Amino acid sequence: MSAVSAPTLREPAVRTVDGLIEAVRAGVYGPDPAGQRMALAFTTAQAVRHEGRTSGYRNEVLSLRLHAAVGSCAVEPGGLDPSALDDCLGATVAELLGHPLLPVRIAALDTYLMHTRPHTTEHGARPCALPSGSSLERSRARSRAVAELLPEAGIERVLVVGVVNSLLERLRERGVGYVACDLKGGITEWGEPVRTDALAELERCDAVLASGMTLGNGTFQPLLDHAAATGKPLVMFAQTGSAVLPRFLGAGVTAVSAEPYPFFWLDGGPGVIHHYGGAR
């Protein structure tokens, strides 16, 4: 496994989301956010049940556009007040970084960093191609790519925060044990209980594989702190905060699979995700 370094030498070490927001406000990552206004705000809703699967799920995502960049934050379906879109239109990045709703703050932060730190090799990203195909085929391809960011050896049980059945399926194929955790609870495709308290499961797992949705619901920081304190691998798969999470490489995050909008489930054609850190 290669050593993990910060994406650029000029970036400071950040250890909290609030600290990253303050660094953005201070102009560390680019132009003054008080002078950058959002041109577009929109939501994307999805409902899916893959062929051959016994259960389905729904997604809802808030996305903002700044110049050519689009940043996103997933929310619980139906949980975002429609007035949030009006709040975002024409607002400055600085204003939205102080918005009372956490998903708006995260979407604004992601959008700004997508503008100033796009997923390019100059910023540490490695492109990973996704093939065309059905939603399930593309989900499985993404999950194979995400699982490759875990160390190949020394991992017996992974805490998976944010249940994606294709990802659990890939871990099963690799013979890796896991504990599935999601705030919604329920059961996995294989009838396993989905835990709702990720922090209670940390001690019995030796790696963490977590969704970027943890940024939007406020559960990311304890995972980051635990990984930083213990040295356990923390791999993030991120549609939410795809440009945010690479900033935490070396501060607890060991690898990121970054997937900016448009996401794999919106199109059947070939696509790309971006890897940071992890095994090479």
Side-chain angles (χ1 to χ4, degrees), residues 58-124:
R58 292 180 58 205
N59 288 324
E60 186 173 340
V61 182
L62 169 66
S63 298
L64 305 176
R65 182 165 182 171
L66 175 68
H67 305 297
V70 175
S72 300
C73 181
V75 297
E76 286 301 315
L80 186 68
D81 192 310
S83 65
L85 292 180
D86 296 327
D87 292 346
C88 296
L89 290 179
T92 67
V93 173
E95 290 169 338
L96 295 182
L97 291 176
H99 194 277
L101 295 178
L102 178 58
V104 172
R105 299 198 298 273
I106 295 299
L109 180 63
D110 191 41
T111 304
Y112 178 86
L113 290 171
M114 279 292 296
H115 174 54
T116 64
R117 297 292 190 275
H119 297 304
T120 61
T121 55
E122 291 85 354
H123 296 124

Side-chain angles (χ1 to χ4, degrees), residues 14 61 82 88-90 128 130 147 186 193 203 230 249 269 278:
V14 291
V61 182
C88 296
L89 290 179
C128 179
L130 288 184
E203 293 300 332
T230 63
L249 285 168

